[in-house]
Amino acid sequence: MALKIVKGSIDRMFDKNLQDLVRGIRNHKEDEAKYISTCIDEIKQELKQDNIAVKANAVCKLTYLQMLGYDVSWAAFNIVEVMSSSKFTYKRIGYLAASQCFHEGTDVIMLTTNQIRKDLSSPNQYDTGVALTGLSCFVTPDLARDLANDIMTLMSHTKPYIRKKAVLIMYKVFLKYPESLRPAFPRLKEKLEDPDPGVQSAAVNVICELARRNPKNYLSLAPLFFKLMTSSTNNWVLIKIIKLFGALTPLEPRLGKKLIEPLTNLIHSTSAMSLLYECVNTVIAVLISLSSGMPNHSASIQLCVQKLRILIEDSDQNLKYLGLLAMSKILKTHPKSVQSHKDLILQCLDDKDESIRLRALDLLYGMVSKKNLMEIVKKLMLHVDKAEGTTYRDELQHTCNTKLCNCSTLILLRYISILVELTRLEGTRHGHLIASQMLDVAIRVKAIRAFAVAQMAMLLDNAHLLTGNMQRNGICEVLYAAAWICGEFSEHLEDPNQTLEAMLRPKVATLPGHIQAVYVQNAAKLFATVLRKHEGATDSQAAQETSQLLVERLPLFVQSANLEVQERASCILQLVKYIQKLQQKDVEVAEEVSALFAGELNPVAPKAQKKVPVPEGLDLDAWINEPPSESESEDEKPKAVFAKEETKHSRPRHTEVDEKELARRREARKQEQANNPFYIKSSPSSQKVYQDAPGVEHIPVVQIDLSVPLKVPGMPMSDQYLKLEEERRQKEKAEKKKKEKKKKREKHGKGKKHDSGPESEEDITPAHHVDIVTEEMPENALPSDDDDKDPNDPHKVYDIQGNLQDGSQVVVSVIFENKSDSFLKSMEFNVLDSLNSKLQRPEGAGPHDGLVVPFQLPPGVSNEARFIFSVQSIVMPQKLKGTLTFIVKSEDSSTHEKLDFKLHFTCTSYLITTPCYSDAYAKLLESGDLKSSSLRLEGVNMPFHHLLARICFHHHFSVVERIDSCASMYSRSIQGHHVCLLVKTADQTVSIDAKCDEPSLLGNVLDEIKQTFSQC
Amino acid sequence: MRFMLLFSRQGKLRLQKWYTATAERDKKKMVRELMQVVLARKPKMCSFLEWRDLKIVYKRYASLYFCCAVEEQDNELITLEVIHRFVELLDKYFGSVCELDIIFNFEKAYFILDEFLMGGEIQDTSKKGVLKAIEQADLLQEGVWGGGV
């Protein structure tokens, strides 16, 4: 036996224990899944062994893996084996594993019944305890039925430890096997008076939970609990008892009356917030359930509200939240008591926690009455302005919109102006809601129509303020309502002529189609009104002018891509033309035109339809036609955006369907375009396109112009622009090959302050400019896109110049030139660091943070900013990718844009022109430390001194000595590498023999020199 | 109480205890969803949130989030107290507990939780009682394990 134990522990020494497993998983972060699958294989081997210790260890590891989300159900039988071990250590692990892994569907549970029964009756209380704990997690109806008796016996066990657990588990048994409740209940009731407080509180817990499910069976226990409540000092128990009473009082009002007093006493005396909160909640619940007739009823409410105020005023966010939550419960029955704390609740709107703000808002929502409406709305409006957080903001506006209606006329007047004010707010997504509210109020309340019409006319007149930000939100929907109200109730308009003019402005054509359609239709209504007004004043001249206005402006809408707009516009245009003819013959037309829109619109009660009797023999449920197939019905379902209005006037409905159809087609078109490799995508969200399909065409290209800078045309029309783009792209492709060496020349050019001075080299025009052009497109470049976007020319071309610097730091000066017509601000320069080269960022900034460019750029202006890079190795050229993000500000909008660019650090740019004397030079060459390399350039057709000057200028060398057509040159890198050149020329052939202590640096410098000369 | 979860700031589950039978798939889904919701909350926000039909009470201790799901009628503050009590117990048992203690001795953490809560209800309101039970059970365990490993 002893040998076996020893053998077992030796075996175990070679197995992984739980700690090893955990450590292993932590060490294999990259290939966790693979590591774990090998572990599981090991565990499977371990489970096959006879040694229970090994098995238990394996099961313990499985339990851990189970938590990580791995399926271990295959080991269920092994878990049962470990549970049945006679050793507590293993039994404990077995039960833990079972409680974590088993559920009602686990079939091996059937096998455990006898084992559990054995454990429950074990002389060791911990064996019993562990079995009870495990059972509480995986008890099934079968187990509950089979073991109910055993557990019931345990409720009278001598050890309180067991009694307590047995009482608690009875709750689970009752749930699974309700028949056990009746026989067990007397004993459970006994336990309420158990000498051990733990057992007592367990019994209270169980009965409280049972009572919550089915209170009426427990009414008889009320006196006992009442006694417990007044005697107990254990807050945990008190809370449960109070909760129990909360569940009982709705059934027995007398109990409620009796409760108020002890509860208020507790509220006064307790210092425990949890108990206080529970008491307040229960008092509220009791008072709600009691109808009335309580003498000190209002006093208790006052007390609760006062205590809640303290909670809300507390600096603890949790108490604040709960205080507001409880307050909203009081609000339902005692709104007045809450309203006196309006100030406090309004304060909570300023809280930094969004969930508290939402709670406060919820409360305010319910607090609004006729009297305080103005004040609350005023405050809310203030908050809408500064509100952060989208949910909160939406909720806020929702409150403003929905809850504040249905009041008296006066309030409605105010309501309309609030709605109008709301429209001024940017970023609201409630355009639809506001619009439908406006329509609803204007149609329903005759008395306010004049006011509403005046406000709406104002709105139409200022429509341009709204349309600026309309792409992103539905606020332009309110124009729909405004146009309709002005048209329908045009008799209230002060100056219909002006409104008519406002509705026919060219800018209207940028609105969504369904709104334009309403505009057109209502322009006709207005036209009728205007005609009548003029003819009433016998001012035929003015009447004719109005007709002329329509004739001039309507063709804009006739051209609309939206069918609905087009149809209505051409119809009305013809009508107006006809009227114009009649006018010229001095025929009175106003009456007839008005007749087109005669008849008043009356609101219809929602129930009105029901009152219409169904004619005899009409079966409303019968199909008129054969039911359409599934797929069709989906398309045809009209979108109920203005559901309320549709019952009153069905005009806008067509537009909805129409728009949907258009959207569908647009989507199909986009899809087609996306699949077409030859189609150039050009939506404003092109950045996104880059991510989705990183094709060659979308990579921003750095390019340099030597003599002919690439002029970017301003404000091209979209289709022209597409052509331009294609041309440019081809050009770019051709230039791609050249660009690298151009870049080098550029670098060289900037380095001239270190140059020894190439005086005679006027013919060398250094390439100063690196034009970085991304594939930006005008926002309306997609010809099929909505017409509602302002054409904006976002062509920005930036000049970036690299510059060389001392130490291992390189200063890059970048010239930003704004070639667009828009104002650029908030520019941020960022470069993706490589291991070798890093952008130096201010202390505290993260490695991916951008640097703010310290200026803004008005159109056409350029400015220079310097950025420092630290470079480790300089022997290789470097290319760094970077992005410039900025905000484009145009008249009425500002958009966030970005430009990608590349920075080239050539090896040449790490060289510093350093003079060297010929004797020092000779020593250097003799030292033998230098590796040599050579280069031959054919067909160089330039005077020798030009050639030298070019090398000096572009590659930062100085001439050491020159004899006829032979010259020695020298330069030093910022890290002190010596670079020596011997340049000879004969018959247009240049040979360069070079030496340097760093061969790869030398090779790269020579490559760069070669490129410089292949360009000329 | 429906369930209790312990997870790290990185979204790694450290402990889970379900007091109602829940299918494995649902568990995973709920854990994932809940972790996202809780981790997204700012430090200054209150500890309660409504989630599905449950109330979530959570509290962060160092890098660990303790998160309980309770029913509508349950008392949030007492749940917070339960969490705190559990942390105190862990602290007493491990001696200034840290996340690693719970990772490496996760079975012990479960044993403590099981002594403290049973079926989602509080078993023993006294810290001493719980710790005594654990110690004695451990003693029993040591006897067999023999301190060999």
Side-chain angles (χ1 to χ4, degrees):
Chain A
M1 180 64 199
L3 186 69
K4 214 175 170 186
I5 289 175
V6 171
K7 192 168 167 280
S9 42
I10 288 171
D11 281 347
R12 279 193 34 231
M13 277 163 68
F14 297 106
D15 294 331
K16 279 197 193 85
N17 64 14
L18 177 67
Q19 271 77 10
D20 296 332
L21 174 78
V22 173
R23 216 167 281 135
I25 292 173
R26 289 167 70 81
N27 290 338
H28 289 77
K29 287 225 164 74
E30 285 82 40
D31 52 347
E32 191 184 294
K34 201 176 143 211
Y35 178 75
I36 287 177
S37 78
T38 59
C39 287
I40 289 182
D41 288 342
E42 279 171 28
I43 290 170
K44 280 183 181 163
Q45 289 304 317
E46 286 165 29
L47 287 175
K48 280 182 192 150
Q49 295 186 31
D50 280 336
N51 190 328
I52 191 72
V54 176
K55 267 188 193 165
N57 184 40
V59 164
C60 188
K61 289 191 277 185
L62 280 180
T63 316
Y64 187 77
L65 294 178
Q66 190 267 347
M67 184 175 67
L68 295 183
Y70 291 86
D71 177 39
V72 299
S73 54
W74 48 270
F77 185 74
N78 303 103
I79 293 174
V80 176
E81 280 182 308
V82 176
M83 274 164 73
S84 348
S85 159
S86 55
K87 302 270 186 301
F88 175 70
T89 316
Y90 309 136
K91 190 184 290 297
R92 202 183 191 190
I93 287 170
Y95 271 103
L96 173 64
S99 69
Q100 293 298 107
C101 310
F102 286 6
H103 49 88
E104 284 191 13
T106 311
D107 37 14
V108 293
I109 284 189
M110 294 185 308
L111 307 175
T112 59
T113 319
N114 281 322
Q115 177 60 41
I116 295 173
R117 183 172 286 143
K118 211 176 112 197
D119 289 334
L120 289 182
S121 54
S122 160
N124 183 331
Q125 62 166 336
Y126 294 105
D127 279 351
T128 314
V130 126
L132 285 171
T133 310
L135 194 57
S136 75
C137 291
F138 59 78
V139 61
T140 62
D142 285 344
L143 280 178
R145 188 194 57 225
D146 296 343
L147 298 172
N149 263 324
D150 303 77
I151 299 171
M152 220 152 76
T153 328
L154 289 179
M155 282 166 72
S156 319
H157 199 273
T158 48
K159 301 248 170 59
Y161 178 78
I162 301 296
R163 286 208 299 276
K164 181 178 73 184
K165 282 182 189 276
V167 168
L168 278 176
I169 203 176
M170 274 324 267
Y171 176 59
K172 293 276 167 184
V173 172
F174 294 151
L175 289 184
K176 299 284 175 190
Y177 181 61
E179 287 85 343
S180 62
L181 180 56
R182 197 166 290 278
F185 194 71
R187 197 167 287 183
L188 185 61
K189 199 174 145 189
E190 249 173 59
K191 297 297 140 198
L192 283 175
E193 288 167 306
D194 195 280
D196 183 82
V199 179
Q200 196 185 36
S201 92
V204 171
N205 271 348
V206 171
I207 291 179
C208 176
E209 288 306 310
L210 289 170
R212 257 153 65 163
R213 285 169 189 263
N214 186 7
K216 70 172 186 294
N217 290 349
Y218 302 90
L219 268 178
S220 61
L221 293 179
L224 187 57
F225 276 111
F226 205 82
K227 203 176 92 194
L228 272 177
M229 182 171 78
T230 41
S231 60
S232 177
T233 51
N234 184 333
N235 284 346
W236 305 75
V237 175
L238 276 175
I239 286 176
K240 281 283 175 187
I241 295 175
I242 291 166
K243 211 174 265 302
L244 172 75
F245 279 125
L248 293 183
T249 38
L251 301 170
E252 182 54 82
R254 282 173 302 175
L255 186 62
K257 282 182 199 170
K258 257 184 118 176
L259 271 177
I260 292 291
E261 201 202 321
L263 283 182
T264 43
N265 286 345
L266 270 176
I267 291 176
H268 277 298
S269 61
T270 185
S271 60
M273 281 299 174
S274 48
L275 183 57
L276 173 73
Y277 179 63
E278 195 59 52
C279 290
V280 169
N281 257 340
T282 307
V283 169
I284 296 167
V286 166
L287 290 178
I288 288 171
S289 68
L290 297 172
S291 43
S292 61
M294 286 283 296
N296 55 351
H297 177 132
S298 63
S300 322
I301 280 289
Q302 278 311 320
L303 177 68
C304 288
V305 174
Q306 262 167 31
K307 285 286 174 186
L308 288 180
R309 193 182 166 103
I310 294 169
L311 289 190
I312 297 172
E313 279 170 341
D314 200 286
S315 60
D316 185 341
Q317 301 289 78
N318 294 335
L319 297 182
K320 213 184 264 280
Y321 178 88
L322 293 178
L324 289 169
L325 195 67
M327 209 60 130
S328 62
K329 285 183 194 149
I330 299 186
L331 184 71
K332 282 179 201 136
T333 46
H334 302 85
K336 280 203 181 115
S337 333
V338 180
Q339 259 154 16
S340 54
H341 300 282
K342 191 174 65 220
D343 56 322
L344 185 67
I345 291 153
L346 283 170
Q347 265 174 36
C348 289
L349 287 179
D350 288 323
D351 200 279
K352 48 194 178 299
D353 183 349
E354 192 174 329
S355 45
I356 287 178
R357 292 200 300 265
L358 279 170
R359 279 273 155 251
L361 195 60
D362 212 33
L363 209 50
L364 280 175
Y365 189 96
M367 278 167 64
V368 173
S369 71
K370 272 184 208 173
K371 274 184 201 158
N372 60 15
L373 176 85
M374 295 297 174
E375 191 191 339
I376 290 181
V377 167
K378 223 187 223 166
K379 287 266 167 59
L380 285 180
M381 294 303 296
L382 274 175
H383 278 281
V384 175
D385 275 341
K386 56 184 178 182
E388 311 156 10
T390 47
T391 358
Y392 173 62
R393 194 172 173 145
D394 283 350
E395 196 67 25
L396 200 56
Q397 282 171 356
H398 187 74
T399 311
C400 292
N401 289 346
T402 52
K403 198 64 185 183
L404 311 183
C405 53
N406 302 328
C407 301
S408 70
T409 320
L410 182 78
I411 289 169
L412 282 173
L413 287 182
R414 177 68 188 147
Y415 181 49
I416 287 281
S417 38
I418 287 165
L419 289 177
V420 173
E421 268 179 59
L422 274 177
T423 61
R424 302 230 169 88
L425 295 164
E426 276 184 40
T428 175
R429 278 191 275 136
H430 291 291
H432 277 295
L433 196 59
I434 296 175
S436 73
Q437 288 288 315
M438 281 175 172
L439 286 169
D440 194 40
V441 173
I443 293 167
R444 275 207 272 174
V445 190
K446 259 187 191 173
I448 65 143
R449 279 182 195 162
F451 178 78
V453 166
Q455 292 276 327
M456 293 302 121
M458 202 169 74
L459 207 61
L460 284 179
D461 212 24
N462 297 320
H464 58 276
L465 294 177
L466 297 178
T467 50
N469 51 11
M470 75 199 157
Q471 285 101 346
R472 267 168 295 148
N473 54 56
I475 197 63
C476 56
E477 289 298 332
V478 297
L479 293 176
Y480 174 104
W484 192 84
I485 291 171
C486 284
E488 189 64 29
F489 307 114
S490 51
E491 66 271 17
H492 298 293
L493 276 176
E494 268 179 42
D495 187 356
N497 236 336
Q498 196 200 339
T499 309
L500 183 59
E501 198 274 329
M503 279 167 73
L504 294 171
R505 282 179 199 152
K507 192 110 183 174
V508 173
T510 62
L511 289 170
H514 68 284
I515 297 177
Q516 281 187 58
V518 175
Y519 263 66
V520 172
Q521 187 73 17
N522 286 286
K525 290 186 203 166
L526 275 177
F527 175 58
T529 318
V530 173
L531 278 189
R532 207 164 49 192
K533 201 171 157 192
H534 289 317
E535 281 182 16
T538 60
D539 187 354
S540 65
Q541 182 64 33
Q544 283 189 26
E545 274 170 18
T546 314
S547 311
Q548 191 55 36
L549 176 77
L550 256 71
V551 171
E552 278 167 16
R553 298 280 179 87
L554 279 173
L556 176 72
F557 297 100
V558 175
Q559 291 163 8
S560 168
N562 186 309
L563 290 177
E564 184 71 24
V565 179
Q566 201 186 78
E567 193 181 353
R568 290 190 193 192
S570 55
C571 199
I572 290 165
L573 182 62
Q574 287 312 312
L575 183 72
V576 176
K577 279 184 181 163
Y578 180 67
I579 291 166
Q580 215 175 11
K581 270 186 209 159
L582 290 176
Q583 280 176 329
Q584 278 154 7
K585 290 177 198 160
D586 275 335
V587 181
E588 298 259 311
V589 286
E591 276 308 311
E592 282 162 56
V593 177
S594 308
L596 281 175
F597 306 107
E600 200 186 334
L601 193 72
N602 284 316
V604 178
K607 287 179 192 160
Q609 182 67 45
K610 276 191 208 153
K611 295 191 177 163
V612 179
V614 179
E616 220 171 295
L618 175 65
D619 182 5
L620 287 173
D621 295 328
W623 285 101
I624 298 172
N625 294 312
E626 280 303 298
S629 71
E630 281 288 294
S631 58
E632 272 174 9
S633 64
E634 215 173 72
D635 278 354
E636 284 164 9
K637 212 181 283 167
K639 207 168 108 195
V641 180
F642 286 95
K644 266 188 186 164
E645 282 71 60
E646 269 174 344
T647 55
K648 295 159 197 156
H649 62 106
S650 57
R651 275 169 241 165
R653 189 174 154 162
H654 305 288
T655 60
E656 294 298 330
V657 177
D658 200 23
E659 199 192 32
K660 204 177 173 185
E661 171 66 11
L662 274 181
R664 195 184 58 76
R665 281 190 224 154
R666 197 179 301 137
E667 203 45 56
R669 204 159 48 230
K670 273 187 190 156
Q671 194 61 41
E672 195 186 310
Q673 286 163 1
N675 294 336
N676 184 348
F678 301 108
Y679 188 83
I680 305 156
K681 284 181 211 82
S682 49
S683 70
S685 57
S686 50
Q687 284 118 328
K688 206 176 159 197
V689 177
Y690 292 155
Q691 285 165 359
D692 291 343
V696 181
E697 294 185 337
H698 293 288
I699 299 169
V701 177
V702 177
Q703 84 172 70
I704 305 134
D705 267 2
L706 276 174
S707 46
V708 194
L710 188 68
K711 292 272 184 257
V712 182
M715 301 281 272
M717 293 310 289
S718 52
D719 41 357
Q720 286 172 348
Y721 183 74
L722 288 177
K723 243 189 256 166
L724 279 171
E725 274 296 296
E726 263 171 4
E727 282 171 13
R728 211 201 75 214
R729 192 166 293 114
Q730 281 167 2
K731 206 171 156 191
E732 273 173 16
K733 274 180 189 156
E735 282 179 356
K736 243 181 191 168
K737 289 176 197 156
K738 291 196 260 164
K739 74 176 184 209
E740 206 136 281
K741 53 198 164 198
K742 284 177 183 172
K743 178 78 194 181
K744 261 149 226 161
R745 293 185 54 183
E746 175 274 316
K747 288 267 168 73
H748 196 165
K750 270 307 281 183
K752 69 181 148 197
K753 56 183 168 188
H754 302 287
D755 263 354
S756 55
E759 308 93 349
S760 55
E761 269 55 46
E762 295 92 351
D763 56 332
I764 297 170
T765 25
H768 279 292
H769 288 225
V770 185
D771 288 0
I772 294 179
V773 184
T774 59
E775 310 240 342
E776 295 269 6
M777 300 277 185
E779 288 180 351
N780 60 350
L782 194 71
S784 54
D785 218 331
D786 274 347
D787 294 335
D788 52 10
K789 288 167 188 163
D790 283 339
N792 177 14
D793 182 12
H795 292 258
K796 290 125 217 141
V797 180
Y798 295 87
D799 297 344
I800 297 195
Q801 305 194 327
N803 200 352
L804 140 186
Q805 247 358 281
D806 35 30
S808 288
Q809 283 192 346
V810 176
V811 176
V812 176
S813 49
V814 181
I815 296 176
F816 297 87
E817 184 179 353
N818 182 358
K819 291 191 175 175
S820 75
D821 295 323
S822 311
F823 189 86
L824 305 184
K825 62 171 201 175
S826 304
M827 290 192 279
E828 256 194 277
F829 179 91
N830 199 1
V831 170
L832 202 63
D833 289 347
S834 69
L835 277 175
N836 193 32
S837 314
K838 292 185 170 63
L839 176 62
Q840 290 203 348
R841 296 172 167 90
E843 257 179 66
H848 306 295
D849 291 352
L851 294 181
V852 176
V853 179
F855 46 76
Q856 304 185 337
L857 283 182
V861 170
S862 66
N863 202 343
E864 180 186 331
R866 284 165 178 243
F867 301 96
I868 301 169
F869 288 78
S870 56
V871 182
Q872 280 187 342
S873 161
I874 58 158
V875 300
M876 298 282 278
Q878 295 271 326
K879 267 186 216 175
L880 292 187
K881 273 189 195 170
T883 350
L884 183 76
T885 56
F886 50 90
I887 292 174
V888 182
K889 240 187 111 130
S890 55
E891 283 168 7
D892 44 12
S893 70
S894 59
T895 50
H896 222 92
E897 303 258 14
K898 69 167 196 171
L899 266 181
D900 291 326
F901 59 83
K902 280 183 190 163
L903 277 180
H904 290 217
F905 291 81
T906 56
C907 283
T908 295
S909 58
Y910 300 127
L911 297 183
I912 304 169
T913 318
T914 321
C916 185
Y917 296 109
S918 51
D919 46 349
Y921 189 77
K923 257 185 202 162
L924 196 63
L925 288 178
E926 281 164 11
S927 69
D929 294 334
L930 304 183
K931 313 278 180 302
S932 65
S933 177
S934 64
L935 175 73
R936 268 176 87 82
L937 299 166
E938 306 274 354
V940 179
N941 193 10
M942 62 169 70
F944 190 55
H945 66 277
H946 279 203
L947 183 125
L948 292 184
R950 201 177 264 263
I951 295 176
C952 290
F953 182 72
H954 287 303
H955 299 288
H956 311 180
F957 280 87
S958 62
V959 179
V960 180
E961 213 170 350
R962 181 184 160 189
I963 306 155
D964 298 329
S965 58
C966 182
S968 52
M969 304 180 90
Y970 176 78
S971 185
R972 230 172 80 179
S973 80
I974 54 174
Q975 290 179 354
H977 305 289
H978 304 283
V979 189
C980 306
L981 302 181
L982 185 66
V983 187
K984 291 177 200 160
T985 180
D987 306 332
Q988 297 193 2
T989 305
V990 179
S991 68
I992 301 175
D993 291 306
K995 286 193 170 183
C996 174
D997 41 7
E998 178 56 63
S1000 53
L1001 174 69
L1002 183 62
N1004 287 316
V1005 169
L1006 286 182
D1007 280 351
E1008 284 162 20
I1009 293 176
K1010 194 174 169 186
Q1011 269 168 3
T1012 312
F1013 285 96
S1014 68
Q1015 271 170 13
C1016 40
Chain B
M1 192 184 292
R2 295 284 190 88
F3 57 86
M4 185 189 241
L5 303 176
L6 260 72
F7 50 85
S8 70
R9 211 150 50 97
Q10 288 78 29
K12 286 257 198 296
L13 195 61
R14 297 299 181 209
L15 215 70
Q16 57 171 342
K17 194 83 197 177
W18 298 76
Y19 294 111
T20 45
T22 317
E24 210 57 43
R25 211 170 30 145
D26 295 338
K27 279 189 195 174
K28 275 187 199 166
K29 201 171 154 229
M30 285 165 94
V31 168
R32 209 179 325 119
E33 221 176 283
L34 197 59
M35 274 202 243
Q36 267 175 7
V37 176
V38 172
L39 290 174
R41 285 176 67 92
K42 298 190 188 78
K44 287 283 161 87
M45 286 176 124
C46 66
S47 304
F48 314 126
L49 58 116
E50 278 162 25
W51 182 75
R52 299 195 179 180
D53 57 338
L54 299 174
K55 287 198 284 198
I56 303 298
V57 180
Y58 72 93
K59 193 156 167 71
R60 186 179 156 181
Y61 289 88
S63 59
L64 267 188
Y65 283 88
F66 289 70
C67 181
C68 291
V70 295
E71 274 156 66
E72 177 56 34
Q73 309 95 327
D74 284 323
N75 187 320
E76 290 96 334
L77 290 174
I78 207 76
T79 313
L80 214 51
E81 190 73 13
V82 167
I83 293 178
H84 188 70
R85 188 58 69 91
F86 179 46
V87 174
E88 280 179 335
L89 284 170
L90 290 173
D91 208 48
K92 277 255 166 63
Y93 183 81
F94 288 109
S96 71
V97 68
C98 70
E99 196 183 334
L100 284 177
D101 286 327
I102 296 172
I103 298 173
F104 282 103
N105 299 293
F106 90 116
E107 84 278 23
K108 301 268 185 202
Y110 274 124
F111 294 149
I112 297 172
L113 184 60
D114 285 341
E115 283 301 328
F116 178 47
L117 294 177
M118 191 160 134
E121 296 299 325
I122 301 196
Q123 221 181 106
D124 203 329
T125 53
S126 88
K127 268 181 277 183
K128 260 189 218 154
V130 175
L131 285 171
K132 207 179 116 205
I134 288 285
E135 269 161 29
Q136 282 181 357
D138 277 352
L139 254 164
L140 200 62
Q141 175 162 330
E142 296 295 312
V144 179
W145 213 281
V149 179

